[in-house]
Amino acid sequence: MDELHQKYQKLGEILRGLGSVAVAFSSGVDSTFLVRAAHDALGARAVAFTAQSDFVPQRDVDEAAAFCRTLGVEHVVVPFPILQVPHVAENPNDRCYYCKHALFSEMKAQAAARGLTAVVDGSNLDDDGDYRPGHRALAELGIVSPLHEAGMYKQDIRDLSRELGLPTWNKPSFACLASRFPYGHTLTPEGLARVNTAEEFLMAHGFRQFRVRDHGDMARIELPPEDIGRMLDPTLREAVVQRLKALGYLYVTLDLEGYRTGAMNEGLRKEHTQA
């Protein structure tokens, strides 16, 4: 057995050892794979939980529900008023800690009420490389990260997802909508909806991996380098400018450095370097 399939075997052993699980399911690459693995290992003792909040596009909730129906997994949608959680709307640089602590506390309570013994999430080894204060909340609450424990990286998850025929094997990564705003910028339902609408417009025009970063009056678009030239097509460029200005942005910019995860953490790293 090769190393990749040894990891998958280990993942199954970890899940079976938990007895029953509630899987935090965002419909992304990692959590979709984890739902499938948990279903394979535990059958009906694996239940998927999806948060429904201002941080989550409704399309993600719908995709999660559709996948669970196809697989035959019980799916629980957890409505969650995330902006009412203390400190979250103020968007401090440890916002993710408060968000995840509140959300996973609720999931733990709902899982316990259903007799499920553990809550699991899709964190993997690649998540160790960026600033992620939410991991502290997971550790405090005893949330289990089976993909991480099994020694899996993102590419392992994509490769196994493709082998298993999962539709998400090549799905672009999209963090929660709060990550589109600089720390300290107050989060509102209207602002989150605006940036989501802007990103859906780019999706409708065939872009797959990107971010629209919201800097108040300015929208900063991040694209992979290979897509930057396409955005400069006069017709498409004008359509994007007009749509985003109609949403209330005064300035629409294209970041020449291109798409990268954790772009809003760059200021934190700069402050740390200067300190």
Side-chain angles (χ1 to χ4, degrees):
M1 184 184 298
D2 61 25
E3 183 181 1
L4 182 63
H5 293 92
Q6 286 176 353
K7 290 180 180 181
Y8 190 66
Q9 184 179 61
K10 182 177 180 180
L11 175 62
E13 293 170 355
I14 292 168
L15 290 165
R16 285 188 290 274
L18 294 172
S20 60
V21 299
V23 182
F25 183 31
S26 67
S27 81
V29 177
D30 305 323
S31 63
T32 298
F33 172 71
L34 183 55
V35 167
R36 169 61 190 271
H39 178 66
D40 287 350
L42 296 168
R45 291 175 293 154
V47 180
F49 282 65
T50 299
Q52 187 175 48
S53 77
D54 289 316
F55 285 4
V56 181
Q58 184 59 40
R59 64 179 180 274
D60 289 350
V61 179
D62 295 341
E63 287 178 9
F67 179 77
C68 288
R69 285 195 299 269
T70 300
L71 198 59
V73 171
E74 182 180 358
H75 185 226
V76 178
V77 176
V78 183
F80 197 71
I82 192 62
L83 293 177
Q84 296 179 24
V85 174
H87 308 296
V88 169
E90 288 84 355
N91 197 23
N93 58 26
D94 58 350
R95 175 206 70 242
C96 195
Y97 168 80
Y98 299 106
C99 174
K100 284 193 179 293
H101 199 287
L103 177 58
F104 277 88
S105 293
E106 177 64 21
M107 285 192 178
K108 280 192 69 173
Q110 293 206 22
R114 290 170 173 269
L116 301 170
T117 56
V119 177
V120 299
D121 87 309
S123 299
N124 60 77
L125 290 175
D126 281 318
D127 294 323
D128 293 346
D130 195 13
Y131 172 68
R132 295 180 183 270
H135 283 188
R136 179 161 58 94
L138 300 182
E140 289 176 0
L141 293 170
I143 305 303
V144 181
S145 300
L147 304 180
H148 194 284
E149 288 188 21
M152 288 189 175
Y153 292 89
K154 174 73 79 172
Q155 192 58 51
D156 295 329
I157 295 163
R158 288 191 183 277
D159 290 344
L160 286 165
S161 294
R162 185 175 188 178
E163 185 175 309
L164 291 168
L166 300 181
T168 49
W169 73 269
N170 65 344
K171 183 177 182 179
S173 298
F174 278 92
C176 83
L177 292 172
S179 67
R180 310 308 194 259
F181 298 84
Y183 295 118
H185 180 110
T186 299
L187 302 175
T188 66
E190 296 77 16
L192 292 158
R194 178 172 74 162
V195 79
N196 181 51
T197 301
E199 293 196 338
E200 288 184 336
F201 184 78
L202 294 185
M203 286 181 189
H205 282 77
F207 293 101
R208 298 187 72 248
Q209 186 72 80
F210 58 84
R211 294 288 188 272
V212 176
R213 307 290 188 184
D214 187 302
H215 296 267
D217 288 342
M218 182 181 73
R220 176 171 57 86
I221 300 172
E222 296 177 11
L223 297 172
E226 61 270 21
D227 282 342
I228 289 177
R230 179 172 169 243
M231 178 61 79
L232 298 180
D233 172 81
T235 301
L236 177 59
R237 179 179 59 81
E238 183 61 26
V240 171
V241 169
Q242 287 186 4
R243 181 64 181 119
L244 269 61
K245 284 197 169 186
L247 292 174
Y249 294 108
L250 293 179
Y251 309 102
V252 180
T253 69
L254 182 60
D255 190 325
L256 295 183
E257 189 172 352
Y259 162 77
R260 64 267 191 205
T261 59
M264 290 308 192
N265 294 333
E266 291 169 355
L268 298 179
R269 289 192 286 269
K270 182 177 180 181
E271 290 174 6
H272 179 75
T273 301
Q274 293 174 342

